[in-house]
Amino acid sequence: MNYKSYCHLSQDIKEHLPKIQSLNFDLIVGLPRSGLTPANMLALYLNIHCTDLISLINNSELKTGSTRKSKNQYLKYPQNAQKILLVDDSIAKGDSIKADMALIPTYLHSKITTCAIYSSLKQRNDVDFFLEYLPSPRVFEWNIFHHPILTT
């Protein structure tokens, strides 16, 4: 069984941060629900805006806290971003990310790069890139209580 904690997630993201930073994204979008945590981590490390899938689709105004401004303060609405990183925590069959991409207006697809933190396969063509290969069986701290392993 392969296990990843929040601490592992943070370390794995930080290890690949230079690669992600070099791609110059101006918006990170987290996929519900498990993609929101790594998306927020990435956005905070890179000091860029982060939002969720529905806010991207609805083009809801981006917000920041009063003590920390994003380095791309010019960006007020997610659909105005030029380079969007769509993030999920993991990818196995690829069905979730495919379904989520189908919800996004097609005119935005050319701005989007898809990313999973963990992949169950060493090579794949259903996501633009992933950070770490993590074969099954696997379980994550953030969803362990919803994993089938607890029912056996």
Side-chain angles (χ1 to χ4, degrees):
M1 176 66 64
N2 291 301
Y3 174 77
K4 289 289 184 173
S5 68
Y6 282 106
C7 184
H8 294 124
L9 176 66
S10 178
Q11 290 170 343
D12 293 339
I13 288 172
K14 283 190 274 189
E15 183 179 321
H16 294 274
L17 211 50
K19 172 189 176 181
I20 296 168
Q21 191 168 26
S22 73
L23 298 172
N24 294 315
F25 295 105
D26 52 357
L27 179 65
I28 308 287
V29 176
L31 295 179
R33 291 182 343 176
S34 297
L36 295 170
T37 297
N40 274 302
M41 286 180 176
L42 277 165
L44 288 169
Y45 290 140
L46 297 171
N47 194 29
I48 60 177
H49 285 291
C50 184
T51 195
D52 64 287
L53 178 65
I54 298 305
S55 296
L56 171 67
I57 293 166
N58 294 334
N59 206 26
S60 302
E61 186 174 359
L62 297 166
K63 304 287 185 182
T64 62
S66 60
T67 58
R68 183 177 179 155
K69 300 294 181 200
S70 172
K71 72 178 180 183
N72 54 358
Q73 294 181 49
Y74 69 90
L75 187 62
K76 299 293 183 202
Y77 295 94
Q79 292 185 12
N80 292 340
Q82 297 305 302
K83 291 188 78 174
I84 301 169
L85 182 62
L86 192 72
V87 178
D88 208 351
D89 67 332
S90 66
I91 186 166
K93 294 183 288 181
D95 294 341
S96 295
I97 202 159
K98 183 178 179 181
D100 288 337
M101 280 297 291
L103 299 172
I104 299 171
T106 54
Y107 63 87
L108 292 175
H109 287 204
S110 64
K111 297 180 176 188
I112 294 173
T113 300
T114 56
C115 169
I117 307 303
Y118 303 110
S119 171
S120 61
L121 303 174
K122 287 184 180 180
Q123 295 182 349
R124 52 187 333 126
N125 59 11
D126 50 1
V127 67
D128 292 314
F129 69 94
F130 60 89
L131 304 187
E132 299 279 331
Y133 166 61
L134 188 67
S136 296
R138 62 191 190 174
V139 67
F140 304 112
E141 179 180 3
W142 49 94
N143 61 19
I144 194 168
F145 293 110
H146 307 287
H147 195 280
I149 193 171
L150 293 181
T151 61
T152 59

